Amino acid sequence: FMLSGVVGEVAAEEVQVVDFASAGSVSYYAAEGGRLRHYITQDMSKTKHATSLDNGNAPSYLQAGTEYYSYDGHYFYTDYGTMLTDYQNGTRSASVNPGNPYYNYYQYLPFRSRTSYSSGELDSLIGGKTTGSSKLKNTGNYFTGSQNQYGVNALIIVGIGANESGWGTSSICQNKNNLFGLNAVDSSPGTSASTYASVEECIRQFADGWMSRKYLDPKSGVYKGGFLGNKASGVNVKYASDPYWGEKAANIIWGLDQTGGSRDANSYTIGIKDTLATGHTSVNVRNQSNQSGVSLYKTGTSSNYAVLIQDQN
């Protein structure tokens, strides 16, 4: 199978094969009002989609009123059979954008960036999405403080916290001050989840121990790229079982930023090493923009590796 950027295998007896013509619904992308929306199906026998996610500004090559198919959100097809043939041949040459892959800005923005929103502005943005019982309310200072101390973009971790905690209302958050579902395994999330003395301490530990020293550290065993990503690369590879976890957090960030006047969107230039999910060359990240510079670390073998471009030679 191919899902959320990866190629995998599953036992044949666990698979139900559905003829495309008889499916009640399938996942697809659509350009609507200048935005790219991803309609996700989890049960093809149903006509209703499980959810739809904002993927940012729709690229000009996608036309309104057309359904586009894609397993990774980078290359798009108008015909399902054509897409399958391309995938089976290990190419994207028959897509509508073979030389111009699309990348959801917030899904691939490296965490080692900064939001332009102040703590008070974050409080206002979060306040517009939450009720009085939410433990996310009035946390803007905790998020910006962690950004300044540990180098983790405050708006990105707000998006993760809102996604994981249902905007600060989940039982784990309410009872354990756990905004991020930390140590909540799928089999027993309420029991296994960690407890924190305060929401502030949870945010601090998430930014410091979980992100800066673990998922964003190239020397860590779970490092697959310092951005939200999907199952091919990024934090989503190891952090959550949900294949759309990174995209869902990005969806929340898009909404918050639009409310704030879209100040953060596209404020950084992102460079992406674009490859198919079946292979990727690990390359050096050096302290200078030449091959004589000291190698700080290697990118690893994850595909679609994103970096911040600060200068161009």
Side-chain angles (χ1 to χ4, degrees), residues 79-163:
D79 180 79
Y80 217 89
T82 301
M83 178 180 71
L84 292 178
T85 299
D86 246 18
Y87 288 173
Q88 289 163 356
N89 292 332
T91 181
R92 302 294 178 265
S93 60
S95 67
V96 300
N97 59 321
N100 191 14
Y102 179 79
Y103 281 87
N104 179 337
Y105 178 79
Y106 283 121
Q107 196 176 351
Y108 289 90
L109 174 65
F111 282 61
R112 298 301 196 189
S113 53
R114 297 176 63 87
T115 181
S116 66
Y117 295 105
S118 67
S119 58
E121 289 170 329
L122 285 180
D123 281 338
S124 178
L125 294 176
I126 294 169
K129 300 286 187 180
T130 54
T131 63
S133 62
S134 170
K135 290 204 170 187
L136 261 178
K137 292 179 73 68
N138 302 314
T139 55
N141 191 50
Y142 306 152
F143 285 106
T144 56
S146 288
Q147 172 182 266
N148 297 337
Q149 183 71 26
Y150 305 113
V152 183
N153 188 304
L155 190 62
I156 295 178
I157 55 176
V158 167
I160 296 173
N163 179 47

Side-chain angles (χ1 to χ4, degrees), residues 269 289 309-313:
T269 300
S289 56
I309 295 179
Q310 297 181 314
D311 190 18
Q312 297 183 52
N313 287 337

Side-chain angles (χ1 to χ4, degrees), residues 32-47:
E32 299 176 352
R35 310 291 292 181
L36 180 61
R37 295 207 69 85
H38 185 193
Y39 289 86
I40 298 173
T41 285
Q42 293 179 327
D43 185 343
M44 295 175 70
S45 68
K46 296 181 179 179
T47 58

Side-chain angles (χ1 to χ4, degrees), residues 1-258:
F1 68 88
M2 305 181 84
L3 175 68
S4 190
V6 296
V7 177
E9 295 182 347
V10 66
E13 62 269 19
E14 297 179 6
V15 175
Q16 178 186 7
V17 178
V18 179
D19 187 273
F20 184 82
S22 64
S25 64
V26 297
S27 297
Y28 70 89
Y29 291 80
E32 299 176 352
R35 310 291 292 181
L36 180 61
R37 295 207 69 85
H38 185 193
Y39 289 86
I40 298 173
T41 285
Q42 293 179 327
D43 185 343
M44 295 175 70
S45 68
K46 296 181 179 179
T47 58
K48 186 177 181 181
H49 291 89
T51 188
S52 69
L53 302 174
D54 185 345
N55 271 230
N57 296 323
S60 59
Y61 49 74
L62 298 186
Q63 305 301 312
T66 301
E67 292 185 3
Y68 294 94
Y69 308 114
S70 175
Y71 92 107
D72 57 10
H74 306 320
Y75 296 91
F76 302 93
Y77 297 81
T78 56
D79 180 79
Y80 217 89
T82 301
M83 178 180 71
L84 292 178
T85 299
D86 246 18
Y87 288 173
Q88 289 163 356
N89 292 332
T91 181
R92 302 294 178 265
S93 60
S95 67
V96 300
N97 59 321
N100 191 14
Y102 179 79
Y103 281 87
N104 179 337
Y105 178 79
Y106 283 121
Q107 196 176 351
Y108 289 90
L109 174 65
F111 282 61
R112 298 301 196 189
S113 53
R114 297 176 63 87
T115 181
S116 66
Y117 295 105
S118 67
S119 58
E121 289 170 329
L122 285 180
D123 281 338
S124 178
L125 294 176
I126 294 169
K129 300 286 187 180
T130 54
T131 63
S133 62
S134 170
K135 290 204 170 187
L136 261 178
K137 292 179 73 68
N138 302 314
T139 55
N141 191 50
Y142 306 152
F143 285 106
T144 56
S146 288
Q147 172 182 266
N148 297 337
Q149 183 71 26
Y150 305 113
V152 183
N153 188 304
L155 190 62
I156 295 178
I157 55 176
V158 167
I160 296 173
N163 179 47
E164 286 285 347
S165 70
W167 290 100
T169 63
S170 70
S171 60
I172 292 174
C173 179
Q174 291 286 316
N175 299 325
K176 296 189 170 185
N177 291 320
N178 190 335
L179 273 176
F180 306 99
L182 300 174
N183 288 319
V185 298
D186 290 346
S187 58
S188 59
T191 303
S192 62
S194 299
T195 300
Y196 295 90
S198 64
V199 169
E200 178 181 9
E201 180 60 14
C202 178
I203 294 171
R204 189 197 69 77
Q205 288 197 31
F206 178 76
D208 179 18
W210 286 82
M211 290 296 110
S212 190
R213 298 176 191 266
K214 189 174 181 181
Y215 283 90
L216 306 184
D217 181 0
K219 296 179 176 61
S220 167
V222 298
Y223 179 80
K224 301 296 180 181
F227 45 91
L228 289 169
N230 57 12
K231 283 301 179 182
S233 60
V235 175
N236 194 172
V237 174
K238 292 290 187 179
Y239 188 88
S241 58
D242 183 354
Y244 304 111
W245 176 87
E247 191 178 341
K248 288 176 179 178
N251 171 75
I252 290 173
I253 299 167
W254 278 116
L256 290 170
D257 190 36
Q258 283 185 294

